Amino acid sequence: MANAPVIKTTGLSYHYSKEAQTLFDINLHVEKGSIYGFLGPNGSGKTTTLSLLLGLLGNQQGDIEIFGQHLHSNRIDILKKIGSLVETPSLYAHLTAKENLEIYRTVYGASKERVNEVLKITGIEGTGQKTVKKFSLGMKQRLSIALALLPNPELLILDEPSNGLDPAGIIELRELIKRLNKDYGMTILISSHLLIEVEKMVSHVGIIFKGKMLFQGSLAELHLFEQKGSKLLVDTSDNEAALKLLQEHHPEWVGNTLALPLKDREQIACINRTLTQNNLDVYLLHPKENNLEQLFIDLTSTKS
């Protein structure tokens, strides 16, 4: 089944203490073969959620199913099929990339051939005898992902993998994630606060804020949601008259300016003609498109 959920949580809630509830009724639905962007500002509950999925924190309330199995009763079998990068792994700075992977290989029960495979997949096979202490941050991050890939996982969970990377490193990471998904059929759950960057690689999105899910759906559904918030700002020599002329466009007041739901460029041209043909001077005709960044700001500033 193409859209069967690899991850499904039901009513997931978590308290670090009686006074501090971190998660409220989280219902994640991550489809097989998807790249799911789990978005939210720092402190919104992303890492807590991922830690619960990996069994790093004890489940308090709600249910977690991964690969169609309940996590609490099938944890070992489930974790064998997951690769993760949640906290920065311990890399041995005085060793090479291959030597680091050899140490972890026995833990995962991976073959020597798999070490060479993940070096190639992550693009660090050419580092040779260069030790990790001489690696750039981007190379260290790729080595960390190589470690997560050793067990040849079906599901890859990455927590803020772009943190600290320069623009070139972010692009390299993005292309690697897309390749893992396309070429190896890997389902990937990636948390981030870099909204514009994540939009370039994911197929599905979940937005979390203060421990509550504000949106979940496909990227296409998110774009439709964005369009609903796009406005055309209008200011004329007589806004009261303009309000009456533009009734079919459902205008509303925003301060002393009019705002109309924005559809397309043809609508803007039509509005301009209507105003000028009725002898109104047009001072402002400004499309305010609600991109992902603006949508996130709107969602997180109006919800609590």
Side-chain angles (χ1 to χ4, degrees):
M1 187 172 165
N3 61 349
V6 169
I7 298 173
K8 180 183 176 183
T9 70
T10 307
L12 198 62
S13 299
Y14 191 82
H15 296 75
Y16 276 106
S17 66
K18 287 183 179 179
E19 296 76 27
Q21 184 166 353
T22 308
L23 298 178
F24 302 81
D25 193 31
I26 301 298
N27 299 298
L28 279 184
H29 188 100
V30 180
E31 293 183 9
K32 181 178 175 63
S34 66
I35 303 178
Y36 186 107
F38 193 35
L39 306 177
N42 293 331
S44 58
K46 300 189 302 295
T47 299
T48 301
T49 304
L50 300 189
S51 296
L52 285 166
L53 294 178
L54 293 167
L56 300 175
L57 291 174
N59 190 15
Q60 295 176 338
Q61 186 177 334
D63 190 44
I64 300 172
E65 288 182 49
I66 303 179
F67 306 120
Q69 297 178 296
H70 293 283
L71 179 63
H72 70 274
S73 56
N74 300 279
R75 183 171 177 265
I76 301 301
D77 289 340
I78 288 170
L79 293 181
K80 285 178 181 177
K81 298 190 284 184
I82 300 177
S84 65
L85 177 57
V86 174
E87 302 291 343
T88 304
S90 299
L91 300 175
Y92 296 92
H94 64 290
L95 300 179
T96 66
K98 189 168 186 177
E99 288 167 343
N100 268 275
L101 288 166
E102 280 291 343
I103 289 173
Y104 283 93
R105 180 180 71 82
T106 53
V107 175
Y108 289 113
S111 65
K112 286 182 176 290
E113 291 75 21
R114 184 62 182 165
V115 169
N116 293 325
E117 286 174 9
V118 297
L119 283 170
K120 187 174 182 180
I121 290 169
T122 54
I124 53 175
E125 73 272 31
T127 53
Q129 294 303 306
K130 188 175 185 178
T131 57
V132 169
K133 63 185 173 186
K134 297 177 182 176
F135 279 18
S136 67
L137 188 58
M139 289 170 65
K140 288 178 181 175
Q141 194 70 320
R142 278 186 277 165
L143 176 55
S144 298
I145 293 174
L147 291 174
L149 294 177
L150 273 175
N152 198 11
E154 294 179 34
L155 169 65
L156 184 63
I157 295 177
L158 304 173
D159 188 21
E160 297 278 4
S162 299
N163 266 3
L165 297 183
D166 61 19
I170 290 174
I171 291 171
E172 288 175 358
L173 178 68
R174 181 208 313 161
E175 294 307 311
L176 172 59
I177 289 170
K178 288 162 70 175
R179 193 167 70 250
L180 289 170
N181 175 254
K182 182 181 177 182
D183 296 348
Y184 301 92
M186 209 172 287
T187 303
I188 300 172
L189 171 59
I190 176 171
S191 80
S192 181
H193 63 277
L194 299 174
L195 308 176
I196 292 176
E197 179 53 42
V198 166
E199 189 180 20
K200 296 172 183 174
M201 72 175 100
V202 302
S203 59
H204 294 74
V205 172
I207 297 177
I208 186 172
F209 181 65
K210 292 186 178 179
K212 299 177 182 178
M213 293 291 289
L214 303 186
F215 175 88
Q216 181 170 230
S218 69
L219 193 60
E221 288 170 330
L222 181 61
H223 286 154
L224 286 174
F225 198 53
E226 287 174 45
Q227 290 172 13
K228 291 178 184 177
S230 297
K231 301 287 185 184
L232 179 67
L233 302 180
V234 179
D235 189 24
T236 71
S237 53
D238 187 344
N239 284 343
E240 290 285 358
L243 181 71
K244 295 175 182 176
L245 289 168
L246 301 176
Q247 279 304 303
E248 65 180 287
H249 299 281
H250 308 291
E252 58 185 32
W253 290 104
V254 177
N256 296 320
T257 304
L258 296 178
L260 297 72
L262 176 63
K263 296 178 182 176
D264 50 39
R265 295 172 65 187
E266 288 71 23
Q267 179 203 26
I268 298 173
C270 174
I271 287 170
N272 187 50
R273 279 195 303 271
T274 300
L275 296 172
T276 54
Q277 286 171 1
N278 284 274
N279 300 316
L280 294 180
D281 295 327
V282 179
Y283 303 140
L284 178 71
L285 209 56
H286 177 63
K288 184 188 175 189
E289 295 188 39
N290 202 11
N291 59 24
L292 178 57
E293 193 80 20
Q294 186 59 48
L295 174 67
F296 180 81
I297 291 169
D298 292 344
L299 279 172
T300 56
S301 62
T302 57
K303 306 274 183 171
S304 62

